[in-house]
Amino acid sequence: EVQLLESGGVLVQPGGSLRLSCAASGFTFSSYAMNWVRQAPGKGLEWVSGISGSGGSTYYADSVKGRFTISRDNSKNTLYLQMNSLRGEDTAVYYCAKDHPSSYYDSRDFYHYCGVDVWGQGTTVTVSS
Amino acid sequence: DIQLTQSPSFLSASVGDRVTITCRASQAISSYLAWYQQKPGKAPKLLLYAASTLQSGVPSRFSGSGSGTEFTLTFTSLQPEDFATYYCQQLYISPYTFGQGTKLEIK
């Protein structure tokens, strides 16, 4: 069974740092791009960051660029999100999500993206003094 | 960044109704659009991708259409388990933005 299990969410003060982890199982982790998606309390979904299967390409939302860093350790089947300079507006449930298996890069390096087909249960980050 | 606007934001309907939700993109995204369903306290679930391709295991009463800047999600006959919040997501270019959501409630 394909599973994603996030951890690391806690209460942190504004300006602080935190690292989220997502342990993957049930699939060949290195073969899939992965993402972090967040949801502030009572709000909609916000795509935060994505990383290719090799880890060589990373992508960020403007709201976190320069403060968050996505990475992965394929030997440990684990995805990470390093969060620095945290703000109140970063308070959210953070979901780890796996790219759909039909997604692929073509010969021009264009990514034919088919969304995310597996989600974790989420981990809650609260930024408050 | 590409903006997605869903309409309506709230929708009240009855079991058995045919319902359509619209998602409009701020620029053309071909057919690179997905739809998700989210129930309270749960992670989202992928319903359709490539605008109209049904994800494995999703009932055929869900259908999607559109390309370019306008897309629709249609429920041919609402079931009790369909009352939830629905989001579109553009898959054309990073950042892969979501619409603001449409909450479908029981009338």
Side-chain angles (χ1 to χ4, degrees):
Chain A
E1 181 189 3
V2 176
Q3 283 194 324
L4 299 171
L5 185 62
E6 303 95 335
S7 61
V10 292
L11 170 64
V12 60
Q13 291 191 340
S17 296
L18 195 59
R19 189 177 82 159
L20 304 183
S21 300
C22 171
S25 60
F27 64 102
T28 305
F29 182 67
S30 60
S31 295
Y32 293 91
M34 298 291 294
N35 304 266
W36 288 99
V37 176
R38 69 184 180 183
Q39 187 167 36
K43 302 298 184 181
L45 300 172
E46 180 184 15
W47 180 87
V48 172
S49 184
I51 186 169
S52 62
S54 66
S57 298
T58 58
Y59 309 88
Y60 298 94
D62 291 345
S63 58
V64 307
K65 200 173 295 183
R67 299 189 300 124
F68 290 10
T69 302
I70 191 171
S71 63
R72 64 192 297 160
D73 185 336
N74 286 342
S75 69
K76 295 182 178 179
N77 290 347
T78 303
L79 176 72
Y80 302 101
L81 185 67
Q82 177 67 41
M83 309 164 67
N84 298 331
S85 303
L86 283 161
R87 306 165 179 168
E89 55 265 38
D90 296 319
T91 294
V93 174
Y94 284 75
Y95 294 102
C96 165
K98 167 190 162 291
D99 271 13
H100 194 284
S102 296
S103 304
Y104 69 97
Y105 285 96
D106 66 17
S107 58
R108 298 169 300 158
D109 209 32
F110 179 79
Y111 192 48
H112 295 265
Y113 193 17
C114 295
V116 295
D117 67 332
V118 179
W119 299 70
Q121 86 292 345
T123 188
T124 300
V125 173
T126 303
V127 183
S128 176
S129 54
Chain B
D1 298 356
I2 296 174
Q3 310 301 318
L4 296 181
T5 303
Q6 291 182 229
S7 59
S9 294
F10 297 94
L11 180 57
S12 183
S14 301
V15 172
D17 283 355
R18 179 184 177 91
V19 167
T20 297
I21 297 171
T22 298
C23 177
R24 290 187 173 86
S26 59
Q27 65 185 76
I29 57 171
S30 185
S31 296
Y32 291 95
L33 190 98
W35 289 97
Y36 299 87
Q37 175 194 67
Q38 188 180 32
K39 296 183 177 179
K42 300 294 186 182
K45 171 187 173 182
L46 178 66
L47 299 176
L48 299 109
Y49 59 93
S52 61
T53 302
L54 205 62
Q55 170 65 356
S56 176
V58 174
S60 59
R61 64 179 180 274
F62 293 92
S63 66
S65 66
S67 68
T69 61
E70 186 154 336
F71 303 84
T72 59
L73 171 65
T74 299
F75 309 72
T76 54
S77 177
L78 277 174
Q79 298 302 300
E81 60 269 30
D82 298 339
F83 291 94
T85 300
Y86 293 85
Y87 295 93
C88 56
Q89 183 192 21
Q90 65 84 12
L91 310 174
Y92 185 66
I93 192 168
S94 174
Y96 299 109
T97 44
F98 287 89
Q100 83 279 12
T102 295
K103 187 173 183 180
L104 180 54
E105 298 180 326
I106 299 175
K107 184 183 287 184

